Amino acid sequence: NAGVTQTPKFQVLKTGQSMTLQCAQDMNHEYMSWYRQDPGMGLRLIHYSVGAGITDQGEVPNGYNVSRSTTEDFPLRLLSAAPSQTSVYFCASSYSGRDPEAFFGQGTRLTVV
Amino acid sequence: AQSVTQLGSHVSVSEGALVLLRCNYSSSVPPYLFWYVQYPNQGLQLLLKYTTGATLVKGINGFEAEFKKSETSFHLTKPSAHMSDAAEYFCAVSGTDSSYKLIFGSGTRLLVRP
């Protein structure tokens, strides 16, 4: 049972480039979310989805897009990378909104130069 | 809006000493409270969670936390620290809106001295 799988684990981008961070879960969870982790700031919610075809913004959505075409996948797109987006990104999934215990992927460490 | 405060960005204890990591949430009572642990270069792993019922919650690796509504607290404790407990610990609460999003504290890094 793989749980939540994120790819890539590491990425270096140049300012202005775009990329997609991949996230897949095999637990049939309804709820998926993306967080960014910065030193001293904990985890901040970027976008989340309560089911296939439904997404919404979190605390820090600017510069990121998401879509949820299947239950399993929830990719995060950086439209035009900026140095301020240098961070560690975590994808998480939960069984449902009524049981929000989150299962996390291993993270993607992104550096924008 | 719900918020979480973790007092102390770094806590240092000796091996075998009591571990106490503090977490306070804003006054609206959250439906769920969590403690997660993050080891270096890894994702977050659930230590324990409070939903309903008994206010003292036991988790993995000998950790426990007590939900105190009157103090709006959910402090994490362990009677005797082990070197392997060195990690970063995050308190999280669920939002009070229908989305049940998780709101995280800023984290506390636990250092264990031999």
Side-chain angles (χ1 to χ4, degrees):
Chain A
N1 192 349
V4 179
T5 303
Q6 288 184 237
T7 55
K9 288 187 168 50
F10 302 93
Q11 184 70 49
V12 179
L13 286 180
K14 294 182 179 179
T15 298
Q17 286 184 318
S18 62
M19 80 160 294
T20 298
L21 307 185
Q22 301 292 342
C23 176
Q25 54 93 5
D26 61 0
M27 297 174 282
N28 202 30
H29 285 172
E30 289 183 9
Y31 192 92
M32 295 186 73
S33 50
W34 277 101
Y35 294 86
R36 58 177 290 171
Q37 181 181 24
D38 301 291
M41 302 187 75
L43 278 77
R44 293 181 292 168
L45 183 64
I46 305 172
H47 286 286
Y48 66 97
S49 168
V50 299
I54 307 170
T55 63
D56 206 347
Q57 296 181 352
E59 183 184 354
V60 288
N62 292 340
Y64 307 96
N65 270 358
V66 292
S67 60
R68 182 101 179 266
S69 56
T70 66
T71 300
E72 294 78 20
D73 299 300
F74 191 45
L76 177 72
R77 280 181 285 278
L78 280 71
L79 308 174
S80 177
S84 61
Q85 294 180 304
T86 293
S87 186
V88 181
Y89 292 84
F90 287 100
C91 179
S93 72
S94 307
Y95 178 67
S96 73
R98 297 183 183 276
D99 182 6
E101 174 187 339
F103 294 78
F104 284 84
Q106 293 296 295
T108 296
R109 186 174 295 274
L110 176 68
T111 302
V112 182
V113 298
Chain B
Q2 189 67 259
S3 64
V4 178
T5 302
Q6 289 184 241
L7 294 176
S9 59
H10 292 79
V11 170
S12 180
V13 300
S14 297
E15 191 173 19
L18 171 72
V19 175
L20 171 60
L21 304 183
R22 299 177 186 273
C23 173
N24 288 87
Y25 57 89
S26 57
S27 58
S28 300
V29 179
Y32 303 95
L33 298 107
F34 304 85
W35 276 99
Y36 283 87
V37 60
Q38 184 182 32
Y39 299 102
N41 300 315
Q42 293 190 26
L44 278 71
Q45 177 185 354
L46 182 71
L47 267 182
L48 51 82
K49 68 178 178 181
Y50 170 78
T51 55
T52 60
T55 56
L56 182 63
V57 181
K58 294 188 184 299
I60 63 172
N61 301 337
F63 284 92
E64 61 183 34
E66 186 171 10
F67 170 55
K68 291 187 176 180
K69 183 177 177 179
S70 62
E71 298 178 8
T72 63
S73 69
F74 191 56
H75 301 331
L76 182 70
T77 60
K78 182 175 181 178
S80 177
H82 192 272
M83 297 296 291
S84 61
D85 295 327
E88 189 153 22
Y89 293 80
F90 292 93
C91 180
V93 303
S94 60
T96 52
D97 61 7
S98 59
S99 68
Y100 289 94
K101 298 189 289 287
L102 290 188
I103 297 124
F104 285 84
S106 56
T108 298
R109 185 167 297 279
L110 177 65
L111 308 172
V112 182
R113 305 185 303 271

